[in-house]
Amino acid sequence: MEKTHQHVASGQKAINELVFSVAFLHTILSQRRLYHHLGFRQDYKWSQVDLVSALRVIQNIYDRKTETSVMLRDIRYLLTHAVYGGCVDCEQDFDIVQALVDNCIVSWMDSKMMPPSMGIPSLLASLSQGGQRPNTSHSHGGRRSRSDSRSRSDSRSRSDSSMTGRSSASQARRFQRMFDAMKNEVQAPHLGLMSDSPVVMETRKSRFISACLHTLHTTHPNINTVFPESVAQQLQHLIATIKGFPSISLPPSDSLNHLQNYLANELSCYCNLLTTIQSDVGLLLQATLGLVALTPKIQSLLLAISEDCVPESWLPQHIPSFIGVQGWLMSVKHRMDVLQRWCRGEEENQTEYCFNLAMFWNPKLFVKSLLQEHARKEYIEVYKISLQIQILGTADIPDSPPDSGGVYITGLHLCNADWDSHRASIQLPKSSDNNSHHSALPTMWLKPTVSIITTETERSTHSSYTCPVYMMSSNKERCDTDDVVLRIDLPCTLDASTWVQKRVFAVATL
């Protein structure tokens, strides 16, 4: 009888812990929504209905009486793919939901104390251990009499029926202490976010207010035909800057080398952009003199130039616009000079082997052209080739091209994490300053190889995080999955889910 009651009590304790874990998961998901795009790319309106569905999943799976590991696996799968992840249509957000579910739905017996920087597991472990109270029962010395043992046995048998109720009440008080501790101890890192997330949110709100004021200002644009003298002078400076661009001779785009064709097309895109800028600036200069009518397009261009902002019609998607018009034109000039030098490399028998992805108009085609060129040289189908990425030990550019083919890429920076050059792995940021969360990555070797099927035993046992590389460096909160250029496996000492929750990614910058 005593064993039966202990089994019932332990079963009730296990399901109570599962219920708390699901409620804890629901709270974490709801709390991350308050951080907008820092928490999830889209807003998912999880409600009490989802929580009730999750509790039903627990009850149905628990009634099967399966092993604990199998039960937790099935619960995690249904919560990730049906209850909470069923409405998620973004790959990044789905990975975050999966990581949160895996960290919350765990066996409390296996949880250990970890640093607060570990996020969800450390918070759950600290709360579960902090909610326990030491045993206040003390054993009295001396020899126990036979009558005392008999009376103690009788009282134990009489209290068997109420054992489960008392344990449930004790566990309820423990959960209440855990909830009370969460009110003061839960911070942004506990939610899997960066420690500077509240500061970023305040900055975002300030930018939102500024954007609203700017929209309100542009709702009633100035339709006067007389413009300040500074606007005309600024346009003259832009014309002088454009005239300082060197003459570009476009190479032929019918070469057998796919990489050279790509570079020629990239240079052609920048030449077309320069032609558009020259036409628009000349038109704006005529508008300031009253020679042409002010169309809505001309008004928007003049308003952007007068505020030293790059017009949206000039902007490629990945080139940041917060550096001013003159600075932006100089960056375009620098890109064109580098591209022209790369295009001339084949004519001078100096094949370029080191590139910066930030130089390109469409960097995704760069990766495709690299695979196509390797397929042409090796006389194999391009679908049989995959890109192997190797991290070099230094940020310096090698003196010679790779022996086994491929190219080197530079200019990658890690966001929301730091790169540890001594351990050659990613690590948590050492500072809470938002500006310090951009750490330079070493030079990467992009090596096209023939795709092979790798078994589980052949894969590396070291932990790694598949880090996406974006080109949208001007807005790190709205990086879309479609903007991913490539993915790099970065070594790490922590679990990969930690970096998924913190949304660690890399950007290509000059």
Side-chain angles (χ1 to χ4, degrees):
M1 180 67 69
E2 181 179 355
K3 293 182 178 180
T4 303
H5 282 287
Q6 289 178 355
H7 177 72
V8 173
S10 61
Q12 186 65 32
K13 177 176 178 292
I15 196 171
N16 287 342
E17 290 178 351
L18 284 175
V19 170
F20 179 85
S21 298
V22 169
F24 182 71
L25 169 66
H26 189 85
T27 304
I28 296 296
L29 292 172
S30 302
Q31 194 72 15
R32 283 181 68 103
R33 289 179 54 199
L34 301 178
Y35 289 88
H36 300 283
H37 292 283
L38 294 179
F40 299 100
R41 282 199 64 255
Q42 301 178 16
D43 187 17
Y44 305 99
K45 301 185 181 300
W46 292 301
S47 62
Q48 187 178 358
V49 177
D50 300 291
L51 179 59
V52 173
S53 300
L55 296 177
R56 290 177 179 174
V57 167
I58 290 179
Q59 186 63 48
N60 294 334
I61 295 180
Y62 185 79
D63 291 341
R64 299 177 183 176
K65 305 299 182 181
T66 57
E67 296 182 1
T68 303
S69 59
V70 177
M71 178 182 63
L72 293 178
R73 182 198 62 189
D74 295 342
I75 292 176
R76 285 194 290 261
Y77 180 84
L78 290 177
L79 294 182
T80 302
H81 293 82
V83 179
Y84 291 106
C87 62
V88 178
D89 54 357
C90 175
E91 182 180 354
Q92 280 186 348
D93 292 345
F94 182 83
D95 293 339
I96 294 175
V97 171
Q98 186 174 19
L100 294 176
V101 171
D102 293 341
N103 288 335
C104 290
I105 310 301
V106 294
S107 175
W108 287 24
M109 296 296 295
D110 299 335
S111 63
K112 299 179 181 180
M113 284 294 294
M114 290 175 290
S117 59
M118 290 294 292
I120 307 297
S122 64
L123 178 60
L124 184 59
S126 62
L127 290 175
S128 61
Q129 297 187 15
Q132 296 178 351
R133 288 186 177 180
N135 188 10
T136 56
S137 62
H138 300 279
S139 61
H140 299 280
R143 181 178 297 177
R144 297 183 177 87
S145 63
R146 183 176 300 176
S147 60
D148 292 341
S149 300
R150 187 183 300 109
S151 61
R152 190 175 297 107
S153 176
D154 294 339
S155 62
R156 186 186 302 113
S157 61
R158 288 193 302 267
S159 63
D160 283 342
S161 60
S162 60
M163 183 182 300
T164 305
R166 289 202 306 270
S167 61
S168 300
S170 175
Q171 194 177 36
R173 290 193 296 270
R174 177 187 175 192
F175 286 153
Q176 184 61 48
R177 289 192 295 269
M178 294 173 66
F179 277 116
D180 295 338
M182 288 175 63
K183 296 179 182 179
N184 300 323
E185 295 183 6
V186 177
Q187 300 175 359
H190 294 142
L191 304 176
L193 298 169
M194 300 298 298
S195 58
D196 64 336
S197 297
V199 179
V200 175
M201 286 303 302
E202 292 295 332
T203 306
R204 183 180 180 276
K205 292 178 181 178
S206 302
R207 291 177 179 175
F208 178 75
I209 295 175
S210 301
C212 292
L213 293 175
H214 177 74
T215 304
L216 182 63
H217 173 68
T218 56
T219 304
H220 304 284
N222 185 10
I223 59 175
N224 295 330
T225 57
V226 179
F227 294 91
E229 227 176 274
S230 59
V231 177
Q233 293 177 355
Q234 190 173 5
L235 292 174
Q236 293 288 352
H237 288 309
L238 293 180
I239 293 177
T241 302
I242 295 174
K243 289 183 178 179
F245 278 40
S247 58
I248 302 297
S249 56
L250 292 176
S253 58
D254 55 352
S255 173
L256 294 178
N257 192 317
H258 292 279
L259 187 57
Q260 288 295 327
N261 289 337
Y262 167 77
L263 296 176
N265 291 330
E266 285 287 310
L267 187 59
S268 176
C269 290
Y270 279 104
C271 289
N272 295 335
L273 173 63
L274 186 60
T275 302
T276 302
I277 295 175
Q278 288 176 334
S279 176
D280 290 344
V281 171
L283 188 63
L284 293 178
L285 189 58
Q286 293 181 359
T288 57
L289 301 177
L291 300 179
V292 295
L294 290 178
T295 62
K297 176 184 176 181
I298 295 179
Q299 290 182 6
S300 62
L301 290 175
L302 281 175
L303 182 61
I305 297 297
S306 62
E307 296 178 353
D308 198 21
C309 297
V310 182
E312 294 183 0
S313 58
W314 296 359
L315 282 175
Q317 188 178 16
H318 62 275
I319 299 181
S321 60
F322 51 83
I323 55 178
V325 181
Q326 287 286 349
W328 180 79
L329 278 178
M330 296 308 297
S331 68
V332 172
K333 179 178 180 297
H334 175 63
R335 288 178 171 87
M336 295 179 68
D337 292 340
V338 174
L339 283 172
Q340 191 172 20
R341 176 172 58 85
W342 288 345
C343 291
R344 291 175 179 174
E346 187 179 20
E347 299 176 359
E348 300 173 0
N349 294 326
Q350 297 177 357
T351 304
E352 190 67 30
Y353 58 89
C354 188
F355 299 91
N356 189 328
L357 295 179
M359 296 289 180
F360 300 132
W361 187 285
N362 192 343
K364 290 184 180 181
L365 293 181
F366 170 75
V367 178
K368 292 182 179 180
S369 64
L370 190 63
L371 297 176
Q372 291 173 349
E373 179 60 22
H374 185 77
R376 183 186 67 85
K377 290 182 178 180
E378 300 296 332
Y379 297 99
I380 56 179
E381 292 83 356
V382 68
Y383 70 88
K384 295 183 179 180
I385 300 177
S386 61
L387 197 62
Q388 181 181 357
I389 303 177
Q390 181 177 342
I391 305 175
L392 303 185
T394 177
D396 299 332
I397 300 176
D399 298 331
S400 59
D403 297 333
S404 303
V407 296
Y408 299 119
I409 59 172
T410 59
L412 297 183
H413 285 73
L414 200 63
C415 297
N416 297 335
D418 290 338
W419 176 257
D420 189 352
S421 57
H422 298 286
R423 297 182 179 180
S425 63
I426 55 177
Q427 63 179 1
L428 295 172
K430 297 180 180 180
S431 174
S432 60
D433 185 12
N434 184 33
N435 295 327
S436 65
H437 292 163
H438 293 78
S439 179
L441 286 172
T443 303
M444 304 285 178
W445 177 17
L446 303 186
K447 179 183 177 182
T449 57
V450 179
S451 302
I452 57 176
I453 300 177
T454 305
T455 61
E456 293 292 337
T457 57
E458 295 175 346
R459 292 177 182 174
S460 176
T461 58
H462 299 286
S463 178
S464 63
Y465 166 66
T466 304
C467 179
V469 178
Y470 296 96
M471 302 301 297
M472 297 179 62
S473 59
S474 59
N475 192 346
K476 70 175 185 178
E477 301 174 15
R478 293 179 176 270
C479 292
D480 195 356
T481 307
D482 297 335
D483 301 318
V484 176
V485 179
L486 50 88
R487 299 181 185 272
I488 302 174
D489 290 334
L490 298 178
C492 57
T493 55
L494 303 179
D495 189 73
S497 62
T498 303
W499 313 111
V500 173
Q501 297 173 37
K502 296 182 180 297
R503 302 188 68 177
V504 175
F505 61 94
V507 293
T509 57
L510 292 177

